[in-house]
Amino acid sequence: MKVDVLLGLQWGDEGKGKIVDVLTPKYDFIARFQGGPNAGHTLQFNNIKHVLHTIPSGIFHSEKINIIGNGVVIDPVIFKNEIESLEIVAQQNTSIKTGKLLISKKAHLILPTHRILDAASEAAKGKTKIGSTLKGIGPAYMDKTGRNGLRVGDINTPQFREKYKALTQKHEKMLHNAKFEYDLSEYEEAWFAGIEVLKKYNHIDSEYEINEALNKNQKILAEGAQGTLLDIEFGSYPYVTSSNTICSGACSGLGVAPSKIDNVFGIFKAYCTRVGSGPFPTELFDETGEKLQKAGHEFGATTGRARRCGWLDLVALKYSIILNGVTHLIMTKVDVLNKFEEIKVATSYKVKQYKENGEIEIIETDRFPYNIEEGIVEPVYTKFKGWNTEISQITTKDDFPKELKNYIKFIEDKLEVPISIVSIGPKRTSTIKIES
Ligand code: GDP
Ligand code: IMO
Ligand code: MG
């Protein structure tokens, strides 16, 4: 058996949590492979709305095993809160039993000082700040690649406190040099309380666990966080996150060989959003953008910040499909476009570039360029007549309005990958499967 991967093709918040929850019954294991509590994955079912940050989105299926993989960075404080809110859901809804949760020994820990360093880094950047979620993601991955990090497997060793102290002292020196003021004491206490909660879980060699499961023909779904355009290598650098959000991240973040990857589900919204700073070619600054934001309830699941909105960008999607080897597309939030007379889709970019003699030329391309800043890139749009009708009661693709069928067909033709699921509402039940 091989691993299926589900990941975001845009700037995050594509609805990964919802779709993973919907697909979970088909799998034995759900495994998060990168990112940390910068993620906010929302699930809606049985009148429950629940946001997960570190825990995989298969957790509400009692018979399934959920793994936090080695590529994930864990904040014990947020993890403890997540566990407590799962317990509250289970207390309030006796029919709900959560699945098993296992944690890789090799997952890194976000220290209290990582969060403070994140804040210090953003403050120092001023206007050029990344718009980080301030969860300490960048500093934690920096310590991972800098070979200083603390891992889940260290928690039960006698040297854990000593290692914690040494790394914290190093960070404090950095904060002192940056003249950044902070208060660690209260957060530190909560952090060690979180460590006690982490201790209660099985710390595993997830690479063995996952490969052994595959050998036993068990099915695994790898759940991505963030989106392809936030990938550290291929995203809109430096306005990205600090992990590999693309499919290769599932290999390194779980210990799975590339030859063991099967289906790659690439998920995207029927329009586009971005939260935080950085370029966004199809962003709308007018009432249409506001309408998308309102209709889509586009406010961050982690930070509550308003998400910037714009039209669907097929140039960016094509790029994401190449990077991930997407085999199936999933289009979400289609209902958000219900009340639009006209819908636009970016099909190419006009890009300003310099010729060898220094003159400026404008070329039209469907490649995602190195620089996608405003003033360099201008999207070229194809217009569609909107379906302009309510679709929430629809249960089969055959009943889609013809304008929506056209929209789907156009996207599939341009991207050369089939759309296998269309999501028309936040609930589990508002999911239309088009092909298996
Ligand atoms: P994720 O980070 O990719 O898991 O996505 P988020 O949970 O951050 O954001 C997606 C938001 O859209 C959540 O509030 C979901 O409940 C909601 N959502 C998911 N699918 C749909 C859909 O098809 N229609 C609508 N209206 N909302 C959706
Ligand atoms: P999910 O998994 C949307 C964005 C932040 C910021 C940049 C860097 O819910 O789709 P970081 O905290 O990683 O240093 O922030 O990345 N960002 C996300 N945007 N969805 C997310 O996760 C995100 N995680 C990080 O807003 O622009
Ligand atoms: Mg989210």
Side-chain angles (χ1 to χ4, degrees):
M1 205 48 92
K2 293 187 177 185
V3 175
D4 289 346
V5 183
L6 183 142
L7 42 75
L9 298 181
Q10 296 165 318
W11 275 288
D13 302 327
E14 298 91 348
K16 299 175 290 292
K18 173 197 155 158
I19 299 296
V20 169
D21 175 53
V22 167
L23 295 181
T24 294
K26 286 187 172 182
Y27 294 90
D28 301 296
F29 290 74
I30 308 298
R32 263 281 299 270
F33 60 86
Q34 47 68 234
N38 47 350
H41 295 180
T42 315
L43 282 55
Q44 282 198 43
F45 57 95
N46 304 3
N47 293 324
I48 293 167
K49 179 172 175 179
H50 196 89
V51 181
L52 294 162
H53 300 287
T54 327
I55 295 170
S57 301
I59 198 69
F60 287 107
H61 298 260
S62 60
E63 66 289 12
K64 308 295 173 180
I65 299 174
N66 288 263
I67 295 182
I68 299 177
N70 57 280
V72 176
V73 287
I74 303 173
D75 182 332
V77 179
I78 296 175
F79 178 77
K80 178 171 177 278
N81 289 342
E82 281 191 81
I83 293 297
E84 286 169 355
S85 53
L86 282 182
E87 285 166 359
I88 291 170
V89 172
Q91 275 162 18
Q92 289 173 348
N93 304 272
T94 44
S95 62
I96 292 173
K97 296 214 168 16
T98 50
K100 197 169 168 185
L101 181 64
L102 306 171
I103 306 171
S104 166
K105 287 178 197 162
K106 296 189 176 75
H108 278 244
L109 295 171
I110 301 175
L111 269 59
T113 38
H114 283 139
R115 284 184 71 151
I116 300 166
L117 284 167
D118 213 357
S121 165
E122 286 285 79
K125 282 191 155 104
K127 270 189 179 163
T128 60
K129 70 174 183 179
I130 307 296
S132 162
T133 59
L134 300 177
K135 303 293 178 202
I137 303 297
Y141 278 113
M142 278 162 76
D143 270 333
K144 176 177 178 172
T145 51
R147 295 159 294 179
N148 301 310
L150 286 184
R151 299 186 290 175
V152 168
D154 295 325
I155 291 176
N156 288 317
T157 63
Q159 304 83 8
F160 181 60
R161 286 252 170 189
E162 213 176 291
K163 281 188 180 167
Y164 169 84
K165 220 169 161 187
L167 188 52
T168 299
Q169 276 172 359
K170 188 173 168 228
H171 293 158
E172 290 205 271
K173 270 191 203 145
M174 290 158 73
L175 290 162
H176 179 75
N177 289 343
K179 298 191 172 55
F180 193 79
E181 291 196 11
Y182 60 93
D183 180 12
L184 194 57
S185 52
E186 210 175 287
Y187 193 64
E188 211 165 40
E189 206 176 295
W191 195 83
F192 279 104
I195 290 291
E196 291 308 310
V197 174
L198 269 173
K199 277 184 182 170
K200 293 182 189 157
Y201 287 82
N202 259 350
H203 302 168
I204 58 162
D205 295 309
S206 54
E207 57 281 27
Y208 276 107
E209 200 88 23
I210 288 171
N211 283 292
E212 280 162 12
L214 292 178
N215 290 341
K216 283 189 237 157
N217 272 338
Q218 289 182 299
K219 294 190 78 182
I220 297 173
L221 179 64
E223 173 182 2
Q226 289 80 55
T228 301
L229 304 175
L230 289 170
D231 180 79
I232 183 71
E233 295 287 338
F234 295 102
S236 49
Y237 193 88
Y239 299 98
V240 293
T241 190
S242 299
S243 64
N244 280 117
T245 60
I246 59 173
C247 191
S248 64
C251 296
S252 55
L254 295 175
V256 171
S259 58
K260 295 273 168 67
I261 301 292
D262 194 4
N263 298 305
V264 181
F265 299 108
I267 179 164
F268 67 100
K269 286 182 196 179
Y271 52 101
C272 200
T273 64
R274 172 163 206 170
V275 62
S277 327
F280 178 2
T282 61
E283 182 168 12
L284 291 164
F285 299 95
D286 56 8
E287 63 275 14
T288 310
E290 280 170 30
K291 192 172 162 185
L292 282 170
Q293 192 190 67
K294 236 178 158 180
H297 304 289
E298 293 296 355
F299 294 91
T302 295
T303 58
R305 290 178 296 175
R307 295 176 184 147
R308 300 151 62 192
C309 297
W311 294 121
L312 186 65
D313 184 343
L314 295 187
V315 180
L317 273 187
K318 241 186 155 117
Y319 175 70
S320 297
I321 286 168
I322 295 171
L323 295 169
N324 293 301
V326 173
T327 58
H328 300 70
L329 288 166
I330 298 172
M331 179 159 69
T332 60
K333 304 196 86 161
V334 174
D335 54 300
V336 174
L337 298 179
N338 280 353
K339 290 190 180 135
F340 284 77
E341 293 279 348
E342 183 181 78
I343 295 167
K344 288 189 191 171
V345 174
T347 39
S348 62
Y349 288 166
K350 282 191 177 152
V351 183
K352 194 187 276 181
Q353 59 181 33
Y354 289 95
K355 292 204 268 192
E356 267 175 25
N357 65 7
E359 278 176 26
I360 292 175
E361 65 173 350
I362 310 272
I363 57 143
E364 192 170 331
T365 179
D366 63 356
R367 278 190 180 217
F368 196 69
Y370 177 76
N371 185 347
I372 55 159
E373 276 167 39
E374 205 185 337
I376 302 287
V377 156
E378 191 198 325
V380 178
Y381 290 104
T382 301
K383 291 179 188 168
F384 293 84
K385 189 172 178 291
W387 43 98
N388 211 1
T389 178
E390 189 54 51
I391 57 168
S392 56
Q393 301 311 320
I394 290 178
T395 53
T396 149
K397 66 170 173 140
D398 301 331
D399 294 340
F400 281 157
K402 77 170 185 311
E403 293 85 357
L404 174 53
K405 284 182 182 161
N406 284 345
Y407 192 62
I408 291 172
K409 170 106 180 38
F410 182 83
I411 294 168
E412 285 183 323
D413 287 349
K414 279 275 173 202
L415 300 178
E416 297 176 276
V417 182
I419 295 180
S420 57
I421 295 177
V422 171
S423 174
I424 55 165
K427 295 183 187 154
R428 264 183 197 165
T429 44
S430 306
T431 313
I432 315 269
K433 297 202 174 122
I434 294 196
E435 46 112 315
S436 56

